[in-house]
Amino acid sequence: QVQLVESGGGLVQAGGSLRLSCAGSGSIFDISAMGWYRQAPGKQRELVASITSGGSTNYADSVKGRFTISRDNAKNTVYLQMTSLKPEDTAVYYCHASVKRWAARDGYLEVWGQGTLVTVSS
């Protein structure tokens, strides 16, 4: 009933930029925090950036100064603007959101997107 769909991934050269988008759809009453995670082959999933409904942000040290997270609450959408990309940024990027649905019994539901692949060549 509620899903997140990512877009914007692809292949880019080191030093380039990409903008990821994640749109929520379905019976959404409210979304609190939203964020981006990534996972490279053989490595654990890690938080890249998060943003609250009030606009407070948090970034992994490895992306500070290069990535910017933002959101459009009216569109239930979160963005990740990535600049100065490095080969080590190569990973599958996953969107995450804490969602309260209309007529929900159990408060907020943790929802994940299917992921979008970002590949940065050297």
Side-chain angles (χ1 to χ4, degrees), residues 5-111:
V5 179
E6 303 102 328
S7 62
L11 175 64
V12 65
Q13 290 187 313
S17 300
L18 283 174
R19 187 175 189 248
L20 305 183
S21 298
C22 172
S25 63
S27 300
I28 298 172
F29 173 73
D30 180 68
I31 301 178
S32 58
M34 302 187 79
W36 290 94
Y37 293 74
R38 68 186 182 187
Q39 186 168 23
K43 297 184 178 180
Q44 286 194 294
R45 184 180 63 183
E46 64 175 346
L47 174 69
V48 177
S50 64
I51 184 168
T52 69
S53 59
S56 296
T57 58
N58 184 47
Y59 296 93
D61 288 340
S62 60
V63 307
K64 286 181 179 177
R66 300 189 297 120
F67 292 8
T68 302
I69 189 170
S70 61
R71 64 190 287 173
D72 185 334
N73 292 336
K75 297 180 179 179
N76 292 322
T77 300
V78 64
Y79 307 93
L80 186 67
Q81 179 66 53
M82 304 184 292
T83 62
S84 301
L85 283 161
K86 305 174 181 179
E88 50 262 45
D89 294 319
T90 296
V92 177
Y93 284 70
Y94 296 93
C95 178
H96 170 265
S98 297
V99 180
K100 186 168 181 61
R101 299 166 294 171
W102 287 105
R105 291 184 174 275
D106 297 324
Y108 287 88
L109 177 70
E110 306 305 313
V111 183

